[in-house]
Amino acid sequence: MHAARALAVMRAHPRHLVLTGFVAGMLLVFAGPPAVIAAALAATAVAGRSRFALVAGAAVIAGAALAQARVDALDAGVLAHMHDRTVQTRVTLLEPVRERVNGPASARVRLLDSAAAGEQAVLRLHSYAYHGAWPDVGEVLKVTARVKPLGPFDAYQRRRNAHAALEASRAAGTGERRGGLAGVLDSVRRRAERGLEVHLAPKERALLRGMVLGEDERLSETTRDEFQASGLAHILAVSGQNVMLLAALVLFAGSLTGMGLRLRLLLAIGLIAVYVPLAGGGPSIQRAGVMGIAGLVAALAGHPARRWYALLLAAAVTLVLNPRAAAEPGWQLSFAAVASLLAAAPALAGALGRRMPAAVAEVAAITLAATVGTAPLMALHFGQLSLASLPANLIAAPAIAPVMWLGMLAAAAAQAAPALAAPFTALTGPLLVFIQWVAHESAGAPLAAVPVHAPPAAVLAIWAGAIGLFAAWMRRRRHRPALGGRTRRRRLAIPALAAVAVAGVTQARAGAPRLARGEMLVSFLDVGQGDATLIQLDGSAVLVDTGPPEGPVLERLRQAHVKRLDALVLTHAQADHEGAAPAVIREHDPRLVIDGGAGWSTRVQRVLAADRRFRRPQPRDSRAGSAARRIVAPAAGETLALGALQLRILWPPAPPPGWRPEGDPNQRAIVARVEAGRFSLLLTADAESDVTGPLALAPVDVLKVAHHGSEDAGLPALLERLRPRFAAIEVGRHNTYGHPAPSTIAALRRVVPTVVRTDRDGTVRLHAIGDRMWVER
């Protein structure tokens, strides 16, 4: 009966049926001709005996033919056949440069010269190949590069029509920028970016740019993970929410000036058309822009908006532009979320509205519908489901729309002068801090994100069963009488009590433990894919490594109530160890910096070299109190003494005269032994057994496992020598390197009684006093 009703509804809307067939054909182009023919026959059968039956079937075939022609046109080039050839060419940057913790930075570019002119590629930029601040979108670079196939870290760019990678050996700016309409939009975007940074701290700047412009490159890996686990990641990708809020802002502002409805609608359409490329032009914002414009055009014509038709039209337009867009997880999630909202949100809001305030019911309905609708895709693409999504979105909802509106106003004001954006960005500051707090606390809650490891068929079967139960619950609830006032107040008291409980837990977690005299606290900090170890004893504080740029190390130090650092140890010149050093130095003013990356050409090292607050003494003096704020290079045999705490440098040896850094920085990473009374800790940074094996190492109580737990054939022999009682792996959740390696975990479990890892356990605090040692997680 339900199937017959659905069939009748579809036949009553032939335009929807034809457009659905066209979209289906484009989606099935990569599945082959049999799938396209089967879909065409199905579309004809669904249309029945109406005159649209053949049209629906033909639409499927037409969609597949157009998609194939478009793919052939996009792939018509020579770059994919030029592997291992060296090219000298100018390129235009098409997206912001994205830094990686390990490995080169990268960005998608368009080649302007050579036989591959007009084609797209991924430009890989090493620090030795490019000097200075990363170029902006639209800048033209001159590069000498070797053509390589796309690797595991940039293979996703194939879906965006990048055909190869350019491994740059030399890259420099030309001072040119692309012209035309794209160049105009680049200028608008740059002014908007500058305006969104006025009077904001780095973390808030990065978040505001992500929310307004969709630029999440400056967000730390940990921040992205927290927003993903809390179900708030959707606000970091510009989408339908941005378009809706922009249209609402334009229509409201226009009404205040007395502008007519038709003119306001036209203005909103024009601004949406500008905002889509301004926000990067990705599949999600393309879909949202087409849907928004289609809805406004329907309103302009005096007809009610056909939301399902607008959704299908958005799919058709984005697929015509790039048939591979459907393979993007963001595209799939975006369409699944919107379809879920259209199908379930209104009825769900009505059912919930009988038991809670209308505004809360609407937000809860939207979040619940989108969460259920996207659940199988989240499980398949990311291997997890967020159970924290509903409460996190309910709590953050009052701040999200004001931040979007204020951010858009700031971007608009910045077109005249960045300083004019200051009043708007200043108002966003507290709201951005609040949103980050919600994401952080929600992601840290028990079972915030549940891992899912199941075959795709099982995931879809479970999801279908959940949808059936959900529909049955909706039908049952729809006919139940409304709750009385007392019952409703009791129901509303539950989230209020939960909020109080969350606040209490948060305050309890924020407090730092009081340490007894002689009690050492070693905190293996959760900073994502990177190292950061904090050692505290009798009022002294030493931080060994800072984790990646824009990581949460400052927040971790604040939670530990660290005001000033006695020493900062940077083990070696890699971003996942020294990346946040400038921020740590600025906030915590260490008296001494032991710089294991001295001499290497990295951005952090250039910042340190230019920092006049530090001096490099000659000859080397390792006494911490002899001068305020000094920076020294390490050498094996030196000892840093801070009261009862001693830090002995075991590696690397002092470099010979005239030595120039080259090769792998891991080979010269600082290896240090920390001692206090009978307690000992070995810090190995990224120095694996090929470095530590030849050293004269005594047994230790605690081992910081090298290189985030990467595979190390010599680790079992090293563990037999060290015999630690406790081992910690500092590693990021969902990292792309496979850390920690299964062989490393197996070797540790055979020898070490207690093994912890920050990707699963978060920040781990180890207390030690006398012979006693215990863990506070």
Side-chain angles (χ1 to χ4, degrees), residues 57 110 152 157 208-209 220 341 344 379 394 396 453 455 477 509 524 531 566 603 627 656 659 716 736:
R110 188 183 304 279
Q157 296 278 23
L208 186 58
R209 286 177 61 159
S220 69
L341 295 179
L394 285 173
H453 304 289
R477 292 287 179 179
R509 287 174 57 185
F524 301 96
D531 271 19
D566 294 280
R603 279 172 171 72
W659 174 80
T736 58

Side-chain angles (χ1 to χ4, degrees), residues 328-607:
E328 292 266 7
W331 191 95
Q332 298 172 15
L333 289 167
S334 178
F335 274 89
V338 174
S340 302
L341 295 179
L342 294 179
L348 186 57
L352 294 176
R354 301 164 67 185
R355 293 162 176 81
M356 58 182 67
V360 177
E362 185 175 352
V363 174
I366 290 172
T367 302
L368 189 56
T371 300
V372 172
T374 59
L377 294 172
M378 294 294 294
L380 293 174
H381 287 301
F382 304 107
Q384 68 175 22
L385 291 175
S386 175
L387 301 184
S389 179
L390 180 58
N393 277 274
L394 285 173
I395 296 171
I400 292 174
V403 166
M404 295 285 195
W405 281 323
L406 290 168
M408 291 171 180
L409 291 171
Q415 302 307 310
L420 297 179
F424 305 110
T425 55
L427 292 172
T428 67
L431 299 174
L432 292 166
V433 171
F434 172 72
I435 293 172
Q436 291 178 88
W437 173 84
V438 173
H440 174 73
E441 294 299 330
S442 300
L447 298 178
V450 178
V452 177
H453 304 289
V459 171
L460 293 175
I462 295 172
W463 176 73
I467 290 293
L469 292 174
F470 178 71
W473 177 84
M474 283 293 300
R475 284 195 298 271
R476 180 184 174 192
R477 292 287 179 179
R478 191 176 300 167
H479 302 292
R480 289 185 61 179
L483 294 174
R486 180 175 299 180
T487 305
R488 179 177 295 183
R489 285 192 294 272
R490 290 176 180 173
R491 294 286 179 86
L492 292 177
I494 294 175
L497 292 174
V500 173
V502 169
V505 171
T506 301
Q507 291 299 320
R509 287 174 57 185
R514 299 183 66 85
L515 302 179
R517 180 71 178 173
E519 179 182 347
M520 175 182 281
L521 175 59
V522 181
S523 300
F524 301 96
L525 303 178
D526 178 12
V527 293
Q529 182 66 8
D531 271 19
T533 307
L534 176 65
I535 305 168
Q536 296 170 278
L537 176 65
D538 294 340
S540 298
V542 177
L543 180 66
V544 181
D545 284 330
T546 67
E550 301 298 333
V553 67
L554 294 180
E555 174 66 14
R556 301 292 181 261
L557 294 175
R558 185 192 65 78
Q559 292 168 350
H561 288 210
V562 173
K563 299 300 183 184
R564 185 174 185 182
L565 289 168
D566 294 280
L568 171 63
V569 180
L570 303 176
T571 59
H572 62 295
Q574 284 192 332
D576 57 333
H577 290 255
E578 66 169 17
V584 170
I585 290 171
R586 182 176 60 251
E587 295 293 327
H588 294 281
D589 198 17
R591 295 179 174 87
L592 176 68
V593 175
I594 301 178
D595 186 12
W600 294 80
S601 180
T602 66
R603 279 172 171 72
V604 168
Q605 293 304 317
R606 290 195 287 273
V607 169

